[in-house]
């Protein structure tokens, strides 16, 4: 069974602090995605990670992938209020990107001024 | 990234009526489109996968006769919620991809409220 577990489910942090969201998945993955969702909105693609050891950074967000541990992380550096949102990881499985994205439970991030 | 447009963004309908949601890929041809459903404060659940010109593949537990999916062209897929009931109220999101090697892009979502 394909499973993706994220933790924490809820995260409340102060501005300026650093934190990491973890994403564990149950089987070999071909692609690992991170998305952001604002309330009432659809998904915004943040990162696509394709290989073991991949690291990508955009602004205060950095994502990494360890395929051996079946773990991806989303690290937030010096958080600002604008980063408050729900973050989802998702993965596909196959050489080309499977038919299906399997989503994690989501992490609701609230940045407190 | 590529643009996927979903319409309408919000719809309110009466119980027993049917509602059609459109998903269009605006700047690419989408061989595959996906339909998801999201309940409040929950993750996305895949409902079905549709490939242009063929029947949709539904996930286990999704009623085919209730959620009709049509993917008649490479730029348009539709989801029709038939005989809607209040429990069908949800956020419906489509995504589309050019081919199996490319990333799927998401539409804006449709908030369906059945009263």
């Amino acid at each position: 069974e394909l499973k993706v577990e994220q933790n924490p489910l809820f995260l409340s942090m102060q501005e300026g602090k650093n934190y990491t969201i973890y994403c564990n998945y149950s089987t070999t993955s071909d692609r690992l995605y991170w998305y952001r969702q604002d309330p009432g909105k659809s998904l915004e693609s943040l990162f696509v990670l394709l290989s073991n050891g991949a690291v990508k950074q955009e602004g205060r967000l950095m994502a990494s992938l360890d395929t051996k541990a079946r773990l991806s992380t989303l690290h937030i550096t010096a958080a600002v209020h604008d980063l408050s949102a729900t973050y989802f990881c998702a993965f596909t499985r196959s050489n080309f990107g499977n038919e299906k994205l399997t989503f994690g439970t989501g992490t609701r991030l609230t940045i407190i001024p | 990234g590529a643009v996927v447009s979903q319409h309408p963004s919000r719809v309110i309908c009466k119980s027993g009526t049917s509602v059609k949601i459109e998903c269009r890929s605006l700047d690419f041809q989408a061989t595959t489109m996906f339909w998801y459903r999201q309940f409040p404060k929950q993750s996305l659940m895949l409902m079905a996968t549709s490939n242009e010109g063929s029947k949709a593949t539904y996930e286990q537990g999704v009623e085919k006769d209730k959620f009709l999916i049509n993917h008649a062209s490479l730029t348009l897929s539709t989801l029709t919620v038939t005989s809607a009931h209040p429990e069908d109220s949800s956020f419906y999101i489509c995504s589309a991809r050019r081919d199996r090697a490319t990333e799927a892009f998401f539409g804006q979502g449709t908030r369906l409220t059945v009263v």
Side-chain angles (χ1 to χ4, degrees), chain A residues 31 33 35 37 39-43 45 47-48 88 94 96-101 103-106 108, chain B residues 32 34 36 38 41-44 46 49 51 59 91 93 97 100-104 106-109 111:
Chain A
R31 298 181 180 190
Y33 299 82
Y35 295 95
Q37 186 178 37
K41 304 291 185 183
S42 189
L43 301 183
S45 178
F47 301 106
V48 181
F88 291 98
S94 86
F96 296 104
N98 203 349
E99 292 287 334
K100 307 176 186 180
L101 271 173
F103 280 88
T105 47
R108 181 168 296 187
Chain B
T32 306
F34 305 89
Y36 297 86
Q38 186 181 31
K41 300 181 182 180
Q42 293 190 22
S43 189
L44 277 72
L46 180 66
T49 302
N51 292 294
E59 293 299 299
F91 193 50
I93 307 174
R97 70 178 186 198
R100 300 186 74 184
T102 57
E103 180 181 357
F106 287 83
Q108 306 96 316
R111 174 77 57 195

Side-chain angles (χ1 to χ4, degrees), chain B residues 44-63:
Chain B
L44 277 72
M45 297 300 297
L46 180 66
M47 299 175 66
T49 302
S50 78
N51 292 294
E52 185 266 340
S54 61
K55 289 184 178 180
T57 302
Y58 289 81
E59 293 299 299
Q60 193 171 10
V62 178
E63 298 177 59

Side-chain angles (χ1 to χ4, degrees), chain A residues 59-98:
Chain A
R60 301 175 187 274
L61 300 178
M62 183 174 71
S64 66
L65 178 62
D66 181 345
T67 58
K68 293 180 181 177
R70 297 180 185 171
L71 171 69
S72 180
T73 61
L74 181 66
H75 186 74
I76 302 149
T77 302
V80 293
H81 180 68
D82 287 351
L83 291 179
S84 296
T86 299
Y87 293 86
F88 291 98
C89 65
F91 79 95
T92 60
R93 184 181 62 169
S94 86
N95 287 331
F96 296 104
N98 203 349

Side-chain angles (χ1 to χ4, degrees), chain B residues 62-99:
Chain B
V62 178
E63 298 177 59
K64 300 179 183 181
D65 294 333
K66 181 163 189 63
F67 299 100
L68 301 179
I69 291 173
N70 184 280
H71 191 165
S73 78
L74 284 171
T75 59
L76 174 65
S77 177
T78 60
L79 167 66
T80 302
V81 183
T82 63
S83 187
H85 289 96
E87 56 265 32
D88 298 325
S89 298
S90 189
F91 193 50
Y92 292 87
I93 307 174
C94 73
S95 71
R97 70 178 186 198
R98 181 180 294 108
D99 53 51

